[in-house]
Amino acid sequence: MKVKIGAFLGGALFGVGLAIAGMTQPAKIIGFFDFFGNWDPSLAFVMLGAIVVYTPVYRWAIRTWQRPIWAPAFSLPTRKDIDARLIVGSAIFGVGWGLGGYCPGPALTSIGAGSQEALTFGASMLVGVGAYQLFMRVRERRTGGAVDPQAAAMVDG
Amino acid sequence: MIGVAAAGLLLFHGRIAGISGIAGGIFRREPGDISWRLMFIVGLFTAGAVWSQFFPLDYAVEIERSTVALIVAGLTVGIGTQVGSGCTSGHGVCGIGRLSKRSTVATVSFMVTAAITIFVVNEVLGGSV
C-alpha cells in the first residue's frame, strides 16, 4: 500500500514540477530549440536544475545504501554499450518531440489537465508504446521464450 | 522539484524516474510490477487535473499542430522512446545524472533531431503542420 501511495505522490510531485518548469507548454519546448527565431533557453535550466538535485542523491545512495526504503534492491540500468537501437530510437523520439512539443511526462500530466492536444498526442504515444512492447513480447515467445529483461525491457529509464 | 521527485523514486522505490520506462513496463505485464507504475501515472494525471485549476496557462499549447501531426508525433515518441529505452526524464535527467554514457549519447541524439524537426517546421513549413 505505501509503495502505491509513494508512487502516486512521486508522480504527482513530478507532474507539478513539470508544470512549474514550463515543460507542459509545447510553445516553450519549441522555443528552446528555435535557435533561428526567439530562442528561449529556460529548458536548459530545468534539466540542469533537476540533474544538480538528482546527481548527489544518486551517488550518495548507491554508495552508502544497501537497498531502497520500500524495495529489496535498487533496479538500476546496467548496460554500458552504445548501440544503434539507442541512437536511432532516441533520434525517432526527438522527431516526435519536436513535431508535437510534448515528451512523455508532460503529455501524460497535460491529459489530466484536460488538454485536447495532449490527449490526441498521449493516446497515440501509448499506442506506440503498447505496440512496441507487444511486438517484443511476441518476438520473445517466438525465440523460445528466453526473456532477457535487460535486452528487451527499458534498460535506461 | 523534478529532481526531488526523481530522487524520491530512487530512495524509496529504487527506481529510475523515466516516464517512458514506467509506461512501457505496464505493457510488459510482469506480475507485481504494474500497480506502482499505474499509480505513478495516476499521480501525473492528478497533478495536471488539480494544478490546471489554479494555473491553466501552464498547459497552454500555443503552437499550430493538426490532429494528424499530433498523432504522428505521439506514435513516434511512443515507439522511439521504447526502441531507444528512455526519454527526457530517464535519459536526460536520471541518465545524465548517473553520468551514464549511454544516456548522454541518447540525449544528444534526441536533442539534435528535435532541433532539426523544429527548424524544418518553423523555417521551412512556416510554423504550422
Side-chain angles (χ1 to χ4, degrees):
Chain A
M1 193 63 198
K2 63 191 175 189
V3 173
K4 288 180 200 166
I5 294 171
F8 172 82
L9 293 175
L13 190 66
F14 202 95
V16 171
L18 290 172
I20 291 175
M23 295 291 291
T24 49
Q25 299 167 55
K28 233 178 148 63
I29 304 296
I30 305 299
F32 175 69
F33 290 107
D34 192 10
F35 306 112
F36 300 94
N38 287 325
W39 187 48
D40 171 8
S42 56
L43 176 59
F45 296 104
V46 170
M47 277 184 70
L48 219 63
I51 293 168
V52 164
V53 171
Y54 189 77
T55 305
V57 176
Y58 170 81
R59 297 191 74 81
W60 167 67
I62 55 161
R63 249 184 239 152
T64 55
W65 289 35
Q66 301 293 321
R67 45 172 287 187
I69 296 168
W70 292 333
F74 286 103
S75 311
L76 297 173
T78 51
R79 276 181 66 171
K80 301 247 186 284
D81 60 308
I82 289 162
D83 58 352
R85 281 173 49 102
L86 178 81
I87 297 171
V88 174
S90 297
I92 295 171
F93 158 47
V95 171
W97 191 23
L99 187 61
Y102 288 112
C103 56
L108 293 175
T109 196
S110 297
I111 292 175
S115 161
Q116 272 305 315
E117 287 86 351
L119 181 61
T120 307
F121 176 96
S124 311
M125 178 180 90
L126 291 177
V127 168
V129 171
Y132 176 81
Q133 292 295 342
L134 191 72
F135 168 77
M136 289 307 279
R137 283 226 319 251
V138 169
R139 213 175 74 166
E140 279 161 16
R141 234 173 267 159
R142 286 241 176 93
T143 51
V147 180
D148 177 5
Q150 284 301 335
M154 302 300 295
V155 287
D156 300 285
Chain B
M1 212 162 187
I2 297 170
V4 171
L9 204 68
L10 175 75
L11 297 180
F12 285 92
H13 298 260
R15 294 280 179 170
I16 295 293
I19 310 304
S20 59
I22 292 174
I26 292 170
F27 295 94
R28 297 191 59 79
R29 303 212 303 237
E30 310 266 348
D33 189 46
I34 297 173
S35 61
W36 76 271
R37 296 171 186 273
L38 285 173
M39 288 306 286
F40 186 91
I41 288 170
V42 170
L44 275 176
F45 281 145
T46 308
V50 173
W51 194 258
S52 63
Q53 299 302 311
F54 301 99
F55 305 98
L57 290 180
D58 281 356
Y59 302 89
V61 178
E62 293 176 330
I63 55 170
E64 288 175 48
R65 294 293 186 270
S66 64
T67 304
V68 174
L70 287 170
I71 291 172
V72 172
L75 287 171
T76 318
V77 168
I79 294 167
T81 53
Q82 301 306 302
V83 175
S85 54
C87 60
T88 327
S89 48
H91 279 314
V93 173
C94 298
I96 292 183
R98 292 184 296 108
L99 310 178
S100 153
K101 215 183 271 177
R102 266 177 69 85
S103 288
T104 309
V105 169
T107 304
V108 170
S109 177
F110 65 68
M111 288 274 188
V112 167
T113 56
I116 293 171
T117 306
I118 287 164
F119 176 78
V120 171
V121 170
N122 280 356
E123 308 300 325
V124 183
L125 302 173
S128 124
V129 270

